[in-house]
Amino acid sequence: MPAVTRIANQHLTVDVSPLGAEMQALTTADGRSFLWNGDAAFWIGRSPVLFPMVGKAPENRITVEGKSYEMAQHGFARRTEFSLVVSTGTLCRHELAASDATRAVYPFEFLLAVEHALEGRRLTVSAEVENHDTRPMPFGLGFHPAFVWPLPGAAGRPHTVTLDNGAEPALVRLESGLVKREKLQSPFKSGRLTLDRAMFEADAMIFPEGAGEGLTYAADGGPALKFSFENLPNLALWQKPGAPFICIEPWHGTAAELGGSDDLANRPYGVTLPPGETARFAFTVEVDG
């Protein structure tokens, strides 16, 4: 496998693997690591890109234009090797084009480009999806980055997630990996959530609507990560029970609904891209402190 690509500036260093175009490390100049290290004792992921669907499908199968295909959770991009097409000191771009392997499970011509770019203390991770087919192309796209919890130097301190918009978005939960339709009371109070590991005993907390376009993950009196989201209306927070990380996941699309359709075009909050068009999705994270 080709080597990991490193980009860096005076503030941050980022490593990106060609497998899944997945970020492997986010480190400050003073050596603090903010990204989860992929310890297999808990979860080997670090920052997977989810495509062409987010979450699970019923019985791990999707329907496209009346035909059934097997599709593992979060799609195939995270398990597929991308090609490195641009690499500068502070930016790298990886691309994945349709192949015989992808057509066997997702019958469309597409190009997925994932870019990591540094500017000051900010990292922007973007994905562009191009429809090279002659038909409308349904898909979901999500980011699944895991950050250390506790944050560096902040062991024992309360950690919070605070929404920029101050909202209290409704919570939905999963059952067998599928989204339950029941909307639960928000755990946010005036946009603020103090993290508690017990919150994740029932799997991810998903906020399909209303979480807004930015948030801050911070330790009281300690470092903070400030996020902004582009074209990513859904938010999930997830921790493998007992693991020292928290996933802050902005999505466009969710898992299929419990008892709902397996048709990819009917998944909640999914995208259907016309032929010849491109859709862009991105998140930016700024390391503060």
Side-chain angles (χ1 to χ4, degrees), residues 232-258:
L232 295 164
N234 321 122
L235 175 68
L237 303 174
W238 177 72
Q239 179 213 36
K240 187 74 173 285
F245 67 78
I246 179 75
C247 288
I248 297 172
E249 305 180 42
W251 301 338
H252 202 314
T254 72
E257 287 186 332
L258 184 67

Side-chain angles (χ1 to χ4, degrees), residues 76 101 103 123 147 180 189 198 218 238 242:
F76 53 74
R103 294 182 196 104
L123 167 69
F147 300 94
K180 298 166 71 172
K189 301 300 180 186
W238 177 72

Side-chain angles (χ1 to χ4, degrees), residues 6-24:
R6 173 164 290 181
I7 60 175
N9 62 15
Q10 67 270 38
H11 302 291
L12 299 172
T13 298
V14 172
D15 293 335
V16 183
S17 170
L19 183 63
E22 183 178 3
M23 179 167 50
Q24 300 293 292

Side-chain angles (χ1 to χ4, degrees), residues 1 22-23 45 49 105 111 125 144 160 178 182 188 202 206 213 252 258 261:
M1 180 183 293
E22 183 178 3
M23 179 167 50
V49 177
V105 295
L111 182 72
V125 184
H144 198 320
T160 58
L178 305 179
E182 179 187 10
F188 285 92
I206 299 171
E213 298 179 350
H252 202 314
L258 184 67
S261 172

Side-chain angles (χ1 to χ4, degrees), residues 23-258:
M23 179 167 50
Q24 300 293 292
L26 172 63
T27 309
T28 55
D30 58 7
R32 291 174 298 155
S33 296
F34 282 81
L35 196 72
W36 167 242
N37 64 13
D39 183 350
F42 294 103
W43 184 55
I44 62 170
R46 301 186 189 207
S47 184
V49 177
L50 317 181
F51 176 87
M53 71 178 194
V54 175
K56 292 193 72 172
E59 308 298 328
N60 292 319
R61 300 196 70 84
I62 60 170
T63 296
V64 176
E65 298 175 338
K67 186 175 179 180
S68 180
Y69 299 87
E70 186 172 355
M71 182 75 71
Q73 184 177 21
H74 295 319
F76 53 74
R78 64 182 179 143
R79 300 181 180 88
T80 306
E81 189 169 316
F82 285 58
S83 298
L84 177 65
V85 297
V86 177
S87 180
T88 71
T90 58
L91 179 149
C92 64
R93 181 181 177 94
H94 292 80
E95 292 183 351
L96 175 66
S99 65
D100 289 345
T102 67
R103 294 182 196 104
V105 295
Y106 181 66
F108 295 97
E109 300 300 312
F110 68 89
L111 182 72
L112 170 61
V114 177
E115 190 171 282
H116 293 75
L118 288 172
E119 182 179 357
R121 295 181 177 275
R122 294 186 299 275
L123 167 69
T124 297
V125 184
S126 61
E128 293 181 352
V129 180
E130 300 177 9
N131 182 358
H132 292 181
D133 215 287
T134 58
R135 304 161 291 160
M137 186 175 77
F139 66 91
L141 189 290
F143 298 101
H144 198 320
F147 300 94
V148 292
W149 176 16
L151 286 163
R157 301 185 187 184
H159 283 56
T160 58
V161 173
T162 304
L163 304 178
D164 289 358
N165 64 4
E168 298 178 355
L171 168 68
V172 299
R173 288 288 193 175
L174 300 171
E175 183 175 323
S176 301
L178 305 179
V179 174
K180 298 166 71 172
R181 298 183 184 183
E182 179 187 10
K183 291 188 176 181
L184 305 174
Q185 182 177 348
S186 181
F188 285 92
K189 301 300 180 186
S190 300
R192 182 179 171 91
L193 171 67
T194 299
L195 293 171
D196 183 335
R197 297 180 188 280
M199 294 174 173
F200 303 100
E201 292 174 358
D203 209 330
M205 296 195 295
I206 299 171
F207 307 93
E209 298 176 340
E213 298 179 350
L215 61 79
T216 299
Y217 165 50
D220 284 2
L225 298 176
K226 297 181 179 180
F227 295 81
S228 60
F229 308 127
E230 176 188 337
N231 198 22
L232 295 164
N234 321 122
L235 175 68
L237 303 174
W238 177 72
Q239 179 213 36
K240 187 74 173 285
F245 67 78
I246 179 75
C247 288
I248 297 172
E249 305 180 42
W251 301 338
H252 202 314
T254 72
E257 287 186 332
L258 184 67

